[in-house]
Amino acid sequence: MNHRAWVFVGFGFMIIVALGFWGLTAGGDTVSTIGTAVDHDGGTYTTVDAWTIDDPMTAMMGGDGANADQFAQSGMPMGQMSQMMSDAVPEGMKRVAVELNLEAGDQQMDFPADQITLGADGETYSPYGALLADESLTPGSRLSGIVIFEVPIDTGTATFRLDGDAPSVTVDVSKGPGGQPVTTHDHED
């Protein structure tokens, strides 16, 4: 190989190393997935599950019970669920639930409800309702909760954030509880 070829090889190698280093250090917005513990305010939170909530009319009238089972497993009685969602879902929208577990470290962990968001298709949505008991945890304590959002009906993949500084967590809200099809109700019955 001649001298010029070695210069090109060396230059190419330096570019590859520089891009690799940039790839490792860039990325200010880390994206996690369901089940991954995310650091937050001296503690962690884990997004356990996410799903589209069945039509409220179906859920309150019994439906197939999928939402009731999912909410009960997370510690929310059916009565609390129906109080949160007794009104009609706006036309073109759906309600989605994000279930999470929070665990404080050796200091108080704060998670103000007004900073929790769900992002989809370039839009950011604030919670429609939340069952998080408090907005802070004492050192070493744990909390399970559910946050409800109203998003466009065609939303599939979204990004959940416990606050604006926390890494986002990718969630699939295209299916019902346990990955089942979403139950609908004909309001004219």
Side-chain angles (χ1 to χ4, degrees):
M1 240 197 304
N2 67 27
H3 178 53
R4 185 177 288 180
W6 280 110
V7 169
F8 284 117
V9 168
F11 186 65
F13 180 74
M14 288 180 359
I15 289 173
I16 290 170
V17 169
L19 287 173
F21 180 74
W22 175 78
L24 291 173
T25 59
D29 183 27
T30 313
V31 177
S32 300
T33 56
I34 288 190
T36 304
V38 177
D39 292 335
H40 176 76
D41 197 29
T44 61
Y45 76 92
T46 304
T47 305
V48 177
D49 200 0
W51 68 93
T52 292
I53 299 169
D54 293 342
D55 183 294
M57 296 302 291
T58 303
M60 286 185 283
M61 294 176 176
D64 65 0
N67 276 324
D69 292 345
Q70 188 89 1
F71 279 90
Q73 288 171 6
S74 66
M76 179 159 68
M78 184 65 172
Q80 276 184 307
M81 182 181 82
S82 62
Q83 285 174 1
M84 278 186 66
M85 300 179 300
S86 61
D87 58 334
V89 178
E91 184 73 27
M93 303 294 276
K94 67 180 178 180
R95 291 201 182 120
V96 298
V98 177
E99 179 183 355
L100 38 128
N101 291 330
L102 300 105
E103 185 172 348
D106 58 0
Q107 63 185 18
Q108 179 171 309
M109 178 179 158
D110 295 318
F111 46 94
D114 65 346
Q115 293 181 19
I116 297 172
T117 60
L118 190 71
D121 299 323
E123 298 292 326
T124 302
Y125 301 93
S126 296
Y128 167 79
L131 290 170
L132 290 172
D134 297 313
E135 293 185 7
S136 66
L137 289 175
T138 58
S141 62
R142 296 178 182 192
L143 174 69
S144 293
I146 293 180
V147 184
I148 308 292
F149 298 90
E150 282 184 349
V151 297
I153 201 157
D154 60 349
T155 301
T157 301
T159 53
F160 175 81
R161 286 184 189 270
L162 194 58
D163 76 19
D165 296 330
S168 60
V169 177
T170 301
V171 294
D172 179 359
V173 294
S174 63
K175 297 191 169 57
Q180 298 298 313
V182 179
T183 304
T184 58
H185 174 76
D186 182 358
H187 295 283
E188 298 186 21
D189 284 346

